Amino acid sequence: MSTNEQPDTARIEANAAAIAVNPVYENERLAELTHWGAPWANLRVVVVGMGTSGDAVTDVLAQLGAKIVVIDGADTPEKRERIDLYANAYGNVEGLFGPEHMRALPPVDGQEPELVVTSPGVRPDHPVMLDAYERRIQIWGDVELAWRLNERNDRPTPKWLCLTGTNGKTTTVGMVDSILKAAGKKSIQVGNVGMPIVYAIADDEPYEFFAVELSSFQLHWTYSMSPYASVVLNIAEDHVDWHGSFDGYKADKARVYEHTQVACIFNTDHVDTLRMVENADVIEGARAIGFSSTEMPAVSMLGLAEDILVDRAFLKNRYNEAYELAVLQDLAPAPGKMPAKHTVENALAAAALCRAADIDPKAVGAGLRSFKTGAHRNQLVGYANDIMWVNDSKATNPHAANASMSGYPSLVWIAGGLSKGVEYDELIAAHAQRLKAVLIIGTDTAALKSALANHAPQVPTYNMTAAVADSSDGVAVMNAAVAKAAELAHPGDTVLMAPASASMDQFKNYAVRGDAFANAVAAQLADS
């Protein structure tokens, strides 16, 4: 999306208020657009970005008769082919590609655009966004559009169970979907995962529920969504460059609670999430429901009673009774092992969302037992000789790695990559006692090595990048790391690949890094 130009500082400062909040303008035309059958035809729309969400937005709006110009700074044959496909099918779609088209909004059908629908990752201070603020043209994201299309006369209107947080979103949304399916409900995972949300709306499947994962980027461009139930799993400093500050990041995360209908669910161990609930403008009657993996649940909470996950929120006699939902072993990564703290938190949050939707407690337990962790998210990829091999390549920052490491008492840790300027001191200090050895991958590792030297000098460290001929060959580095881990690990240990760093120095993305680890583990265990 970049224009490859220096930011216009004065212009950004002049639009600072709009950048912070994405203002909502009075617009009679847009005010009518609250359901699938509304008058979408001939609406003049600029779609910013032709990635996954922009492609889906273009397709669905074109089907509804809107007039669309798509702009994207990247000019690729694939994107032009998609535009040609829609132009031939609907006759009302045009594409403008290249950085020269990313400086201002183009006309649509020779007139001023009435609406901008942006891809989630486009920064609020992008020149195109600044142009929209200055011309008072409304900006929506794909989630805002999807909410306005949600109600259709030809199928049930799905309830949205919405979640966000710094970490654990994809695992939790998978748990929610698993519970709903265990209850016999027609559900689908959407938002920042799975099918693009506007395609799920356009689908003729009679979904009863959407399990909606929302990023802070998506929430920034959303303002009328009304979740049936909502939760912020946790909060830690992230994406500050995009949001402008940690406060800006938190403010956008808090949007998930706005207009919630039944239950605003918060993590009692993260006080910021409670503050978000307290400040939210919700539908009258919506309740505040806490969850905790560290304390006995009070009334209107979900939590742990010894090793049992219990609900003291969604039952009539909650002052004297509790529903049993599951036991800790239902969440265990391997027989006889205990689940990580963050896994328990994710399960409690998922259970709370589903209980808010009146899902039977037995279905909650069944769904949690049948849930399988997605690839690269605290995923058990090998277990032999009482040694667990866990792939958490999605842990691309120290906060995510902290959650993962907290679940295992004795670690051979594979870590490192692109640090993105973060510091590791707090992470290493917190987990020094559980580290048996650290195998360092990646090429941007000075901060990690410094933190290990300062806070865990007794822990052996091995530079696996230096152990191979080509430091850019991530697969070779990972193979070497796994082979060394096999030498060092003993029964009761966990070999955890939770790098606390981005992957792009040695891998295309975190998924490729995770696959390299899983493949190396499979080969290692096959040979042992």
Side-chain angles (χ1 to χ4, degrees), residues 121-143:
V122 179
R123 290 173 57 112
D125 59 359
H126 190 285
V128 170
M129 303 295 105
L130 299 179
D131 189 41
Y133 307 142
E134 290 162 355
R135 294 159 66 178
R136 297 180 64 82
I137 298 172
Q138 190 63 59
I139 305 170
W140 294 352
D142 62 325
V143 174

Side-chain angles (χ1 to χ4, degrees), residues 185-200:
K185 304 299 183 182
K186 189 78 172 177
S187 65
I188 187 172
Q189 301 175 50
V190 294
N192 200 39
V193 67
M195 181 186 293
I197 193 166
V198 291
Y199 272 152

Side-chain angles (χ1 to χ4, degrees), residues 378-403:
N378 212 39
Q379 175 193 20
L380 183 69
V381 296
Y383 183 60
N385 302 320
D386 198 28
I387 298 169
M388 293 193 296
W389 297 77
V390 177
N391 168 20
D392 200 3
S393 187
K394 185 67 167 62
T396 58
N397 59 59
H399 185 263
N402 175 67

Side-chain angles (χ1 to χ4, degrees), residues 206-438:
Y207 295 115
E208 298 170 85
F209 290 95
F210 284 172
V212 188
E213 176 187 332
L214 295 167
S215 70
S216 58
F217 304 156
Q218 289 171 311
L219 285 164
H220 182 84
W221 306 115
T222 302
Y223 59 87
S224 68
M225 179 183 72
S226 180
Y228 195 75
S230 56
V231 63
V232 177
L233 300 172
N234 46 60
I235 201 79
E237 192 164 332
D238 203 10
H239 301 304
V240 170
D241 57 338
W242 198 96
H243 294 276
S245 66
F246 186 29
D247 285 342
Y249 172 70
K250 289 190 289 186
D252 281 331
K253 286 291 190 184
R255 287 174 181 250
V256 76
Y257 290 126
E258 293 297 312
H259 316 304
T260 293
Q261 300 172 36
V262 172
C264 295
I265 299 155
F266 64 96
N267 186 338
T268 62
D269 294 334
H270 287 254
V271 67
D272 280 336
T273 66
L274 172 59
R275 299 289 176 264
M276 292 173 183
V277 172
E278 291 173 337
N279 293 325
D281 183 9
V282 302
I283 302 300
E284 186 174 355
R287 297 170 58 201
I289 303 296
F291 70 90
S292 174
S293 65
T294 60
E295 60 178 306
M296 284 283 290
V299 172
S300 292
M301 282 184 61
L302 282 76
L304 284 178
E306 297 182 348
D307 67 339
I308 303 172
L309 281 70
V310 299
D311 168 12
R312 292 195 65 194
F314 299 103
L315 66 166
K316 289 183 179 179
N317 192 18
R318 53 185 174 270
Y319 289 92
N320 300 305
E321 297 179 3
Y323 284 140
E324 294 186 10
L325 303 175
V327 297
L328 288 179
Q329 275 301 300
D330 293 334
L331 310 175
K337 302 294 183 180
M338 293 299 290
K341 178 178 182 289
H342 68 273
T343 300
V344 179
E345 290 180 338
N346 294 342
L348 289 167
L353 285 170
C354 292
R355 290 291 297 133
D358 202 28
I359 300 301
D360 187 89
K362 292 181 180 178
V364 173
L368 291 175
R369 285 188 291 275
S370 63
F371 171 73
K372 302 299 180 187
T373 303
H376 319 301
R377 294 169 172 85
N378 212 39
Q379 175 193 20
L380 183 69
V381 296
Y383 183 60
N385 302 320
D386 198 28
I387 298 169
M388 293 193 296
W389 297 77
V390 177
N391 168 20
D392 200 3
S393 187
K394 185 67 167 62
T396 58
N397 59 59
H399 185 263
N402 175 67
S404 188
M405 295 168 75
S406 298
Y408 308 103
S410 182
L411 288 173
V412 175
W413 183 34
I414 299 176
L418 280 177
S419 70
K420 301 184 292 186
V422 302
E423 295 182 356
Y424 298 91
D425 295 86
E426 186 174 341
L427 177 70
I428 303 303
H431 298 290
Q433 297 306 310
R434 70 181 75 220
L435 294 175
K436 289 190 64 176
V438 180

